[in-house]
Amino acid sequence: MATSLKIDDGLKSRVQQLASQRRRSAHWIMLEAIQQYVDREEAQESFKQEALASWEAYKETGRHLTCQEVRAWLNSWGTDDEKAMPECHK
């Protein structure tokens, strides 16, 4: 799909300079930038939706872990006494 983009002269110059330094085309640089932006924004939206779903589940069930429980579990990672994930409780 062909799409046109209007960018100011300053940004165009920066893209061209970076493309030259990276031995890539300006087209490649812009596609890469757009891909990284979309990936980052999708990940952020996914995290937000997961957090909202978790909040709804908590409001419905009251099941949770305390900060201390999570911290103790995480602090055990990579040790000889690595603990299993704690069970949620009310």
Side-chain angles (χ1 to χ4, degrees):
M1 162 177 75
T3 302
S4 67
L5 220 66
K6 292 186 181 189
I7 59 175
D8 63 53
D9 290 339
L11 181 56
K12 182 178 179 180
S13 176
R14 290 169 59 200
V15 168
Q16 289 172 337
Q17 183 175 358
L18 186 59
S20 176
Q21 291 168 345
R22 299 290 187 264
R23 296 191 174 146
R24 297 284 188 168
S25 67
H27 179 261
W28 187 93
I29 296 290
M30 289 184 283
L31 283 177
E32 183 70 14
I34 292 168
Q35 182 67 51
Q36 287 182 21
Y37 175 82
V38 170
D39 289 348
R40 184 176 61 244
E41 291 300 310
E42 286 175 341
Q44 185 175 351
E45 185 61 28
S46 177
F47 178 78
K48 177 183 165 186
Q49 293 304 317
E50 186 178 336
L52 290 171
S54 294
W55 175 242
E56 288 302 317
Y58 169 74
K59 289 192 303 187
E60 289 176 16
T61 67
R63 294 177 53 78
H64 67 283
L65 293 172
T66 67
C67 181
Q68 291 171 332
E69 291 166 331
V70 173
R71 185 175 289 133
W73 173 52
L74 293 176
N75 285 338
S76 77
W77 286 12
T79 69
D80 291 336
D81 188 29
E82 193 167 307
K83 297 179 179 4
M85 184 176 82
E87 292 290 323
C88 290
H89 53 82
K90 287 189 177 219

